[in-house]
Amino acid sequence: MEICRHKDALEIRELDPFLAELLRQVPTSTETKDAPAAQQRLFSAPAAESANEFREEWRLYVEPELRKLFQSTAETVRHDLEQLRCTKKPFANCSLRIPLAHADAWLNTLNQARLVIATKYNFSESDLSDHYRSPFGSRRDLALFQVNFYGFLQEFILREMDQTPGA
Amino acid sequence: MGPPTRDEAERCPGGVSLEVATPAIETAEKTRAEVDLPWNVVVHNDPVNLMSYVTMVFQRVFGYAREKAEKHMLEVHHNGRSILWSGVREHAELYVQQLHGYLLLATLEHVA
């Protein structure tokens, strides 16, 4: 896999089918249906339990706005992923172009996905620091690899944004 | 019978003037702000969020220089929490809302 900045976009080339599939799963990985703990993490409490009134107002007025924001960034990512081009040969490599203008949406959605997966699998800090575990041991190992792969993409996007004046 | 008017007070040198200056709006606002202080915006550790991501969020939301943003990020990482900002409640609520938009674990705390 190659990842580089080209003018006003980030380009991921030579993406093997396995990593391409993980990329395709970014938007669906943010879904929290049947995962109340993940839902709770994305919409965490803004104050202690004693601040009942504030928490209730937050639930009524702020949470719907946050939900809209998260859905909108995931939609942008889903749209970009439609451009994930693969050659017609089976098991061939793919490429993806992410416009820099969508970098914020990608950062947000990758973070949603990482948080949801990590919550579902209850990854500890030491799990998350294990970058050498094979993704093929179990479903849990694959999920850990997915979290770290998305983290790698976040790091790259952040680095490129840092070098973009006004980003 | 109401309080003496300014004219009545001036006409009666031995009397007591009850004239009270109308408080300025600015003074009222300042008092309210003082009563509101301090509300803290606290960010809590979450090992999933990347350190570089958290630093970027602090720079964006609070306009902090990188060094200051990194200092707070490390405080969150090592101590489990950091107070990012203190001030009036309305502003603190907006900061917490922005931080939640970036998926950070942030809370509003009133220091009693």
Side-chain angles (χ1 to χ4, degrees):
Chain A
M1 185 182 91
E2 279 177 22
I3 182 161
C4 63
R5 163 89 174 271
H6 184 68
K7 292 183 183 169
D8 59 348
L10 305 173
E11 288 188 359
I12 307 174
R13 299 180 198 138
E14 298 296 317
L15 196 58
D16 68 50
F18 170 65
L19 294 181
E21 181 51 34
L22 289 187
L23 264 188
R24 282 194 194 93
Q25 289 180 14
V26 171
T28 50
S29 300
T30 65
E31 288 167 10
T32 55
K33 225 182 290 171
D34 305 323
Q39 169 90 359
Q40 209 172 349
R41 173 57 191 87
L42 292 195
F43 302 97
S44 60
E49 277 182 26
S50 53
N52 288 331
E53 199 180 333
F54 175 56
R55 284 169 61 128
E56 185 57 22
E57 281 177 11
W58 180 276
R59 198 181 61 76
L60 283 174
Y61 302 111
V62 180
E63 271 192 22
E65 292 301 316
L66 292 173
R67 205 174 296 277
K68 262 192 244 171
L69 170 71
F70 298 156
Q71 282 170 353
S72 148
T73 64
E75 199 47 51
T76 301
V77 169
R78 198 186 308 274
H79 182 263
D80 286 344
L81 284 168
E82 285 169 9
Q83 322 296 320
L84 186 64
R85 287 192 301 269
C86 304
T87 57
K88 287 177 182 169
K89 292 177 192 167
F91 308 112
N93 289 343
C94 311
S95 62
L96 175 68
R97 185 178 178 278
I98 301 173
L100 266 183
H102 295 178
D104 278 338
W106 272 85
L107 280 178
N108 192 297
T109 306
L110 287 167
N111 219 43
Q112 286 180 60
R114 297 178 73 242
L115 287 166
V116 169
I117 299 167
T119 309
K120 279 180 182 172
Y121 286 89
N122 201 20
F123 289 137
S124 66
E125 193 156 3
S126 108
D127 287 328
L128 293 163
S129 310
D130 181 359
H131 297 277
Y132 299 102
R133 200 183 301 180
S134 161
F136 305 114
S138 65
R139 185 66 189 88
R140 184 179 164 80
D141 289 343
L142 176 61
L144 181 61
F145 182 87
Q146 199 172 5
V147 168
N148 286 331
F149 175 53
Y150 294 170
F152 165 77
L153 289 177
Q154 277 191 304
E155 289 280 15
F156 182 80
I157 294 170
L158 283 166
R159 201 185 68 194
E160 289 305 319
M161 285 172 76
D162 208 28
Q163 291 166 8
T164 306
Chain B
M1 191 180 82
T5 63
R6 184 182 180 132
D7 285 348
E8 286 169 343
E10 280 172 356
R11 280 199 302 271
C12 181
V16 177
S17 169
L18 294 179
E19 185 184 11
V20 177
T22 307
I25 291 171
E26 288 80 6
T27 309
E29 282 178 354
K30 189 178 172 195
T31 305
R32 187 174 168 213
E34 283 167 356
V35 168
D36 271 351
L37 283 174
W39 285 85
N40 291 338
V41 174
V42 182
V43 172
H44 306 263
N45 188 38
D46 183 329
V48 179
N49 288 328
L50 299 176
M51 293 163 104
S52 51
Y53 179 75
V54 173
T55 302
M56 181 275 290
V57 173
F58 290 169
Q59 286 181 272
R60 280 205 186 169
V61 172
F62 300 100
Y64 290 164
R66 180 184 289 269
E67 293 71 26
K68 186 170 180 181
E70 279 176 347
K71 179 186 152 287
H72 281 287
M73 176 275 293
L74 288 171
E75 201 169 77
V76 172
H77 184 68
H78 294 302
N79 302 342
R81 55 180 268 147
S82 177
I83 297 172
L84 267 293
W85 188 87
S86 292
V88 292
R89 180 173 176 152
E90 286 82 357
H91 294 180
E93 283 183 11
L94 281 174
Y95 281 135
V96 171
Q97 188 172 338
Q98 282 180 274
L99 292 165
H100 277 241
Y102 285 102
L103 297 146
L104 264 56
L105 285 174
T107 54
L108 180 69
E109 290 183 5
H110 192 202
V111 179

